[in-house]
Amino acid sequence: RSWRGPLTVGWPLRRGATTKRGDVVVSERGSQVKNYRISRWAAGSACGTSVAGAHGHGGGLEQLDMPWGVVESPDGGFFVVDSGNHRVVYWRPDVQEGVVVAGGNE
């Protein structure tokens, strides 16, 4: 999902990774963050793209709660460690919600 206008990174920024294309992927979480999400930033870009979450803090499949780690899958999707929900969620490219692939029990 692309954002209208510049996407600003909420702080504190906790974890990040890089993609095969060299994009920076960041996990935003913490008490000051309003939109728990994973976002992708192309090198030199002023605008980012949300690749997971970004629907507020919570336990729905479209939400994240304390996203911790993120890794790109071979198909360009992302596996996200959603620590607050005790689960690992897989987000295919260009989807609105993830699929729980591990955990999910409190």
Side-chain angles (χ1 to χ4, degrees):
R1 295 175 306 270
S2 293
W3 293 83
R4 291 177 297 219
L7 175 66
T8 58
V9 176
W11 297 100
L13 176 66
R14 297 293 186 192
R15 298 278 184 249
T18 56
T19 67
K20 293 177 284 194
R21 297 185 320 196
D23 298 342
V24 175
V25 179
V26 295
S27 170
E28 299 175 56
R29 65 184 183 88
S31 60
Q32 297 90 358
V33 175
K34 303 276 191 280
N35 224 352
Y36 287 58
R37 66 182 168 214
I38 306 298
S39 54
R40 174 195 316 227
W41 298 78
S45 177
C47 294
T49 302
S50 174
V51 296
H55 293 279
H57 174 251
L61 291 176
E62 76 285 1
Q63 297 174 307
L64 297 171
D65 180 4
M66 299 301 283
W68 189 264
V70 58
V71 65
E72 184 180 23
S73 67
D75 67 357
F78 292 91
F79 289 95
V80 178
V81 176
D82 186 10
S83 64
N85 288 313
H86 310 282
R87 65 189 184 185
V88 176
V89 184
Y90 171 67
W91 294 73
R92 288 189 336 262
D94 302 316
V95 297
Q96 296 294 316
E97 62 183 39
V99 175
V100 176
V101 295
N105 300 321
E106 293 190 29

PDB file of all heavy atoms in Angstrom, residues 41-71:
ATOM      1  N   TRP A  41      11.450   1.444   2.485  1.00  0.00           N
ATOM      2  CA  TRP A  41      11.966   2.718   1.977  1.00  0.00           C
ATOM      3  C   TRP A  41      13.020   2.447   0.906  1.00  0.00           C
ATOM      4  O   TRP A  41      14.040   1.821   1.186  1.00  0.00           O
ATOM      5  CB  TRP A  41      12.604   3.518   3.111  1.00  0.00           C
ATOM      6  CG  TRP A  41      11.615   3.868   4.169  1.00  0.00           C
ATOM      7  CD1 TRP A  41      11.135   3.054   5.158  1.00  0.00           C
ATOM      8  CD2 TRP A  41      10.965   5.121   4.334  1.00  0.00           C
ATOM      9  NE1 TRP A  41      10.230   3.727   5.924  1.00  0.00           N
ATOM     10  CE2 TRP A  41      10.112   5.002   5.444  1.00  0.00           C
ATOM     11  CE3 TRP A  41      11.037   6.343   3.652  1.00  0.00           C
ATOM     12  CZ2 TRP A  41       9.320   6.049   5.880  1.00  0.00           C
ATOM     13  CZ3 TRP A  41      10.261   7.382   4.100  1.00  0.00           C
ATOM     14  CH2 TRP A  41       9.403   7.234   5.201  1.00  0.00           C
ATOM     15  N   ALA A  42      12.764   2.896  -0.302  1.00  0.00           N
ATOM     16  CA  ALA A  42      13.761   2.777  -1.371  1.00  0.00           C
ATOM     17  C   ALA A  42      14.900   3.747  -1.076  1.00  0.00           C
ATOM     18  O   ALA A  42      14.685   4.814  -0.485  1.00  0.00           O
ATOM     19  CB  ALA A  42      13.138   3.095  -2.720  1.00  0.00           C
ATOM     20  N   ALA A  43      16.095   3.394  -1.492  1.00  0.00           N
ATOM     21  CA  ALA A  43      17.255   4.256  -1.269  1.00  0.00           C
ATOM     22  C   ALA A  43      17.006   5.639  -1.844  1.00  0.00           C
ATOM     23  O   ALA A  43      16.581   5.783  -2.987  1.00  0.00           O
ATOM     24  CB  ALA A  43      18.497   3.638  -1.903  1.00  0.00           C
ATOM     25  N   GLY A  44      17.206   6.656  -1.030  1.00  0.00           N
ATOM     26  CA  GLY A  44      17.050   8.041  -1.456  1.00  0.00           C
ATOM     27  C   GLY A  44      15.623   8.531  -1.536  1.00  0.00           C
ATOM     28  O   GLY A  44      15.377   9.678  -1.900  1.00  0.00           O
ATOM     29  N   SER A  45      14.664   7.694  -1.198  1.00  0.00           N
ATOM     30  CA  SER A  45      13.256   8.070  -1.312  1.00  0.00           C
ATOM     31  C   SER A  45      12.787   8.870  -0.106  1.00  0.00           C
ATOM     32  O   SER A  45      13.181   8.606   1.026  1.00  0.00           O
ATOM     33  CB  SER A  45      12.392   6.819  -1.442  1.00  0.00           C
ATOM     34  OG  SER A  45      11.024   7.166  -1.475  1.00  0.00           O
ATOM     35  N   ALA A  46      11.915   9.842  -0.353  1.00  0.00           N
ATOM     36  CA  ALA A  46      11.298  10.606   0.726  1.00  0.00           C
ATOM     37  C   ALA A  46       9.962   9.991   1.142  1.00  0.00           C
ATOM     38  O   ALA A  46       9.362  10.424   2.120  1.00  0.00           O
ATOM     39  CB  ALA A  46      11.086  12.053   0.288  1.00  0.00           C
ATOM     40  N   CYS A  47       9.488   9.003   0.389  1.00  0.00           N
ATOM     41  CA  CYS A  47       8.214   8.351   0.683  1.00  0.00           C
ATOM     42  C   CYS A  47       8.429   6.868   0.905  1.00  0.00           C
ATOM     43  O   CYS A  47       9.149   6.216   0.151  1.00  0.00           O
ATOM     44  CB  CYS A  47       7.237   8.546  -0.468  1.00  0.00           C
ATOM     45  SG  CYS A  47       6.731  10.235  -0.712  1.00  0.00           S
ATOM     46  N   GLY A  48       7.780   6.344   1.929  1.00  0.00           N
ATOM     47  CA  GLY A  48       7.843   4.926   2.218  1.00  0.00           C
ATOM     48  C   GLY A  48       6.534   4.246   1.876  1.00  0.00           C
ATOM     49  O   GLY A  48       5.538   4.901   1.588  1.00  0.00           O
ATOM     50  N   THR A  49       6.552   2.929   1.912  1.00  0.00           N
ATOM     51  CA  THR A  49       5.375   2.118   1.632  1.00  0.00           C
ATOM     52  C   THR A  49       5.167   1.155   2.783  1.00  0.00           C
ATOM     53  O   THR A  49       6.104   0.476   3.201  1.00  0.00           O
ATOM     54  CB  THR A  49       5.577   1.315   0.331  1.00  0.00           C
ATOM     55  OG1 THR A  49       5.836   2.211  -0.733  1.00  0.00           O
ATOM     56  CG2 THR A  49       4.355   0.497   0.000  1.00  0.00           C
ATOM     57  N   SER A  50       3.949   1.074   3.285  1.00  0.00           N
ATOM     58  CA  SER A  50       3.630   0.121   4.332  1.00  0.00           C
ATOM     59  C   SER A  50       3.533  -1.273   3.725  1.00  0.00           C
ATOM     60  O   SER A  50       2.872  -1.464   2.706  1.00  0.00           O
ATOM     61  CB  SER A  50       2.302   0.502   4.983  1.00  0.00           C
ATOM     62  OG  SER A  50       1.915  -0.478   5.903  1.00  0.00           O
ATOM     63  N   VAL A  51       4.200  -2.250   4.343  1.00  0.00           N
ATOM     64  CA  VAL A  51       4.132  -3.623   3.853  1.00  0.00           C
ATOM     65  C   VAL A  51       3.459  -4.562   4.852  1.00  0.00           C
ATOM     66  O   VAL A  51       3.151  -5.697   4.513  1.00  0.00           O
ATOM     67  CB  VAL A  51       5.525  -4.165   3.456  1.00  0.00           C
ATOM     68  CG1 VAL A  51       6.094  -3.370   2.299  1.00  0.00           C
ATOM     69  CG2 VAL A  51       6.479  -4.189   4.625  1.00  0.00           C
ATOM     70  N   ALA A  52       3.212  -4.099   6.075  1.00  0.00           N
ATOM     71  CA  ALA A  52       2.523  -4.903   7.081  1.00  0.00           C
ATOM     72  C   ALA A  52       2.009  -3.979   8.184  1.00  0.00           C
ATOM     73  O   ALA A  52       2.655  -3.006   8.547  1.00  0.00           O
ATOM     74  CB  ALA A  52       3.459  -5.943   7.679  1.00  0.00           C
ATOM     75  N   GLY A  53       0.843  -4.313   8.716  1.00  0.00           N
ATOM     76  CA  GLY A  53       0.277  -3.511   9.797  1.00  0.00           C
ATOM     77  C   GLY A  53      -0.279  -2.193   9.298  1.00  0.00           C
ATOM     78  O   GLY A  53      -0.940  -2.145   8.271  1.00  0.00           O
ATOM     79  N   ALA A  54      -0.028  -1.128  10.055  1.00  0.00           N
ATOM     80  CA  ALA A  54      -0.461   0.232   9.728  1.00  0.00           C
ATOM     81  C   ALA A  54      -1.958   0.441   9.916  1.00  0.00           C
ATOM     82  O   ALA A  54      -2.528   1.366   9.358  1.00  0.00           O
ATOM     83  CB  ALA A  54      -0.026   0.640   8.317  1.00  0.00           C
ATOM     84  N   HIS A  55      -2.599  -0.419  10.697  1.00  0.00           N
ATOM     85  CA  HIS A  55      -4.016  -0.259  11.000  1.00  0.00           C
ATOM     86  C   HIS A  55      -4.209  -0.129  12.506  1.00  0.00           C
ATOM     87  O   HIS A  55      -5.164  -0.652  13.066  1.00  0.00           O
ATOM     88  CB  HIS A  55      -4.820  -1.438  10.452  1.00  0.00           C
ATOM     89  CG  HIS A  55      -4.831  -1.497   8.968  1.00  0.00           C
ATOM     90  ND1 HIS A  55      -5.672  -0.730   8.199  1.00  0.00           N
ATOM     91  CD2 HIS A  55      -4.072  -2.194   8.100  1.00  0.00           C
ATOM     92  CE1 HIS A  55      -5.441  -0.965   6.917  1.00  0.00           C
ATOM     93  NE2 HIS A  55      -4.463  -1.857   6.837  1.00  0.00           N
ATOM     94  N   GLY A  56      -3.280   0.549  13.129  1.00  0.00           N
ATOM     95  CA  GLY A  56      -3.350   0.716  14.575  1.00  0.00           C
ATOM     96  C   GLY A  56      -2.811  -0.494  15.309  1.00  0.00           C
ATOM     97  O   GLY A  56      -2.466  -1.530  14.737  1.00  0.00           O
ATOM     98  N   HIS A  57      -2.778  -0.366  16.586  1.00  0.00           N
ATOM     99  CA  HIS A  57      -2.232  -1.349  17.506  1.00  0.00           C
ATOM    100  C   HIS A  57      -3.328  -2.360  17.840  1.00  0.00           C
ATOM    101  O   HIS A  57      -4.432  -1.979  18.180  1.00  0.00           O
ATOM    102  CB  HIS A  57      -1.798  -0.548  18.752  1.00  0.00           C
ATOM    103  CG  HIS A  57      -1.350  -1.358  19.880  1.00  0.00           C
ATOM    104  ND1 HIS A  57      -2.091  -1.477  21.030  1.00  0.00           N
ATOM    105  CD2 HIS A  57      -0.240  -2.074  20.086  1.00  0.00           C
ATOM    106  CE1 HIS A  57      -1.435  -2.221  21.886  1.00  0.00           C
ATOM    107  NE2 HIS A  57      -0.315  -2.598  21.329  1.00  0.00           N
ATOM    108  N   GLY A  58      -3.052  -3.665  17.681  1.00  0.00           N
ATOM    109  CA  GLY A  58      -4.063  -4.649  18.037  1.00  0.00           C
ATOM    110  C   GLY A  58      -3.726  -6.045  17.589  1.00  0.00           C
ATOM    111  O   GLY A  58      -2.622  -6.328  17.120  1.00  0.00           O
ATOM    112  N   GLY A  59      -4.717  -6.938  17.698  1.00  0.00           N
ATOM    113  CA  GLY A  59      -4.525  -8.350  17.415  1.00  0.00           C
ATOM    114  C   GLY A  59      -5.201  -8.857  16.156  1.00  0.00           C
ATOM    115  O   GLY A  59      -5.159 -10.049  15.879  1.00  0.00           O
ATOM    116  N   GLY A  60      -5.833  -7.962  15.369  1.00  0.00           N
ATOM    117  CA  GLY A  60      -6.448  -8.391  14.117  1.00  0.00           C
ATOM    118  C   GLY A  60      -5.393  -8.787  13.097  1.00  0.00           C
ATOM    119  O   GLY A  60      -4.218  -8.422  13.227  1.00  0.00           O
ATOM    120  N   LEU A  61      -5.792  -9.500  12.063  1.00  0.00           N
ATOM    121  CA  LEU A  61      -4.834  -9.922  11.040  1.00  0.00           C
ATOM    122  C   LEU A  61      -4.309  -8.753  10.223  1.00  0.00           C
ATOM    123  O   LEU A  61      -3.304  -8.885   9.536  1.00  0.00           O
ATOM    124  CB  LEU A  61      -5.452 -10.975  10.128  1.00  0.00           C
ATOM    125  CG  LEU A  61      -5.705 -12.325  10.804  1.00  0.00           C
ATOM    126  CD1 LEU A  61      -6.417 -13.270   9.853  1.00  0.00           C
ATOM    127  CD2 LEU A  61      -4.406 -12.930  11.303  1.00  0.00           C
ATOM    128  N   GLU A  62      -4.956  -7.607  10.303  1.00  0.00           N
ATOM    129  CA  GLU A  62      -4.475  -6.396   9.633  1.00  0.00           C
ATOM    130  C   GLU A  62      -3.637  -5.523  10.574  1.00  0.00           C
ATOM    131  O   GLU A  62      -3.159  -4.466  10.179  1.00  0.00           O
ATOM    132  CB  GLU A  62      -5.654  -5.589   9.069  1.00  0.00           C
ATOM    133  CG  GLU A  62      -6.457  -4.819  10.098  1.00  0.00           C
ATOM    134  CD  GLU A  62      -7.397  -5.659  10.978  1.00  0.00           C
ATOM    135  OE1 GLU A  62      -7.463  -6.894  10.843  1.00  0.00           O
ATOM    136  OE2 GLU A  62      -8.075  -5.049  11.823  1.00  0.00           O
ATOM    137  N   GLN A  63      -3.451  -5.971  11.808  1.00  0.00           N
ATOM    138  CA  GLN A  63      -2.758  -5.191  12.832  1.00  0.00           C
ATOM    139  C   GLN A  63      -1.529  -5.912  13.366  1.00  0.00           C
ATOM    140  O   GLN A  63      -1.395  -7.132  13.228  1.00  0.00           O
ATOM    141  CB  GLN A  63      -3.703  -4.916  14.007  1.00  0.00           C
ATOM    142  CG  GLN A  63      -4.900  -4.081  13.639  1.00  0.00           C
ATOM    143  CD  GLN A  63      -5.841  -3.973  14.812  1.00  0.00           C
ATOM    144  OE1 GLN A  63      -6.261  -4.973  15.394  1.00  0.00           O
ATOM    145  NE2 GLN A  63      -6.172  -2.736  15.159  1.00  0.00           N
ATOM    146  N   LEU A  64      -0.668  -5.131  14.011  1.00  0.00           N
ATOM    147  CA  LEU A  64       0.491  -5.662  14.716  1.00  0.00           C
ATOM    148  C   LEU A  64       0.505  -5.103  16.128  1.00  0.00           C
ATOM    149  O   LEU A  64      -0.037  -4.029  16.389  1.00  0.00           O
ATOM    150  CB  LEU A  64       1.786  -5.275  13.996  1.00  0.00           C
ATOM    151  CG  LEU A  64       1.958  -5.815  12.582  1.00  0.00           C
ATOM    152  CD1 LEU A  64       3.163  -5.169  11.913  1.00  0.00           C
ATOM    153  CD2 LEU A  64       2.101  -7.324  12.598  1.00  0.00           C
ATOM    154  N   ASP A  65       1.134  -5.829  17.033  1.00  0.00           N
ATOM    155  CA  ASP A  65       1.304  -5.387  18.412  1.00  0.00           C
ATOM    156  C   ASP A  65       2.758  -5.673  18.796  1.00  0.00           C
ATOM    157  O   ASP A  65       3.116  -6.816  19.035  1.00  0.00           O
ATOM    158  CB  ASP A  65       0.346  -6.138  19.323  1.00  0.00           C
ATOM    159  CG  ASP A  65       0.466  -5.733  20.778  1.00  0.00           C
ATOM    160  OD1 ASP A  65       1.245  -4.798  21.080  1.00  0.00           O
ATOM    161  OD2 ASP A  65      -0.204  -6.339  21.624  1.00  0.00           O
ATOM    162  N   MET A  66       3.569  -4.650  18.784  1.00  0.00           N
ATOM    163  CA  MET A  66       4.990  -4.761  19.083  1.00  0.00           C
ATOM    164  C   MET A  66       5.746  -5.597  18.048  1.00  0.00           C
ATOM    165  O   MET A  66       6.374  -6.604  18.377  1.00  0.00           O
ATOM    166  CB  MET A  66       5.222  -5.308  20.490  1.00  0.00           C
ATOM    167  CG  MET A  66       4.637  -4.439  21.593  1.00  0.00           C
ATOM    168  SD  MET A  66       5.283  -2.760  21.599  1.00  0.00           S
ATOM    169  CE  MET A  66       6.874  -3.026  22.336  1.00  0.00           C
ATOM    170  N   PRO A  67       5.687  -5.205  16.761  1.00  0.00           N
ATOM    171  CA  PRO A  67       6.459  -5.938  15.758  1.00  0.00           C
ATOM    172  C   PRO A  67       7.944  -5.864  16.084  1.00  0.00           C
ATOM    173  O   PRO A  67       8.471  -4.795  16.345  1.00  0.00           O
ATOM    174  CB  PRO A  67       6.131  -5.212  14.454  1.00  0.00           C
ATOM    175  CG  PRO A  67       5.696  -3.850  14.866  1.00  0.00           C
ATOM    176  CD  PRO A  67       5.059  -4.013  16.206  1.00  0.00           C
ATOM    177  N   TRP A  68       8.604  -6.989  16.107  1.00  0.00           N
ATOM    178  CA  TRP A  68       9.989  -7.041  16.555  1.00  0.00           C
ATOM    179  C   TRP A  68      10.953  -7.245  15.409  1.00  0.00           C
ATOM    180  O   TRP A  68      11.817  -6.429  15.155  1.00  0.00           O
ATOM    181  CB  TRP A  68      10.154  -8.143  17.592  1.00  0.00           C
ATOM    182  CG  TRP A  68      11.480  -8.107  18.246  1.00  0.00           C
ATOM    183  CD1 TRP A  68      12.576  -8.836  17.909  1.00  0.00           C
ATOM    184  CD2 TRP A  68      11.888  -7.280  19.328  1.00  0.00           C
ATOM    185  NE1 TRP A  68      13.638  -8.523  18.717  1.00  0.00           N
ATOM    186  CE2 TRP A  68      13.230  -7.561  19.611  1.00  0.00           C
ATOM    187  CE3 TRP A  68      11.233  -6.329  20.097  1.00  0.00           C
ATOM    188  CZ2 TRP A  68      13.929  -6.928  20.622  1.00  0.00           C
ATOM    189  CZ3 TRP A  68      11.938  -5.716  21.108  1.00  0.00           C
ATOM    190  CH2 TRP A  68      13.264  -6.006  21.353  1.00  0.00           C
ATOM    191  N   GLY A  69      10.830  -8.343  14.715  1.00  0.00           N
ATOM    192  CA  GLY A  69      11.755  -8.651  13.632  1.00  0.00           C
ATOM    193  C   GLY A  69      11.016  -8.793  12.319  1.00  0.00           C
ATOM    194  O   GLY A  69       9.823  -9.055  12.281  1.00  0.00           O
ATOM    195  N   VAL A  70      11.748  -8.623  11.240  1.00  0.00           N
ATOM    196  CA  VAL A  70      11.160  -8.757   9.907  1.00  0.00           C
ATOM    197  C   VAL A  70      12.220  -9.324   8.970  1.00  0.00           C
ATOM    198  O   VAL A  70      13.395  -8.972   9.066  1.00  0.00           O
ATOM    199  CB  VAL A  70      10.622  -7.401   9.396  1.00  0.00           C
ATOM    200  CG1 VAL A  70      11.701  -6.352   9.339  1.00  0.00           C
ATOM    201  CG2 VAL A  70       9.955  -7.546   8.039  1.00  0.00           C
ATOM    202  N   VAL A  71      11.781 -10.247   8.091  1.00  0.00           N
ATOM    203  CA  VAL A  71      12.678 -10.804   7.084  1.00  0.00           C
ATOM    204  C   VAL A  71      11.881 -10.976   5.794  1.00  0.00           C
ATOM    205  O   VAL A  71      10.701 -11.331   5.821  1.00  0.00           O
ATOM    206  CB  VAL A  71      13.309 -12.136   7.552  1.00  0.00           C
ATOM    207  CG1 VAL A  71      12.267 -13.215   7.730  1.00  0.00           C
ATOM    208  CG2 VAL A  71      14.400 -12.586   6.617  1.00  0.00           C
TER     209      VAL A  71
END
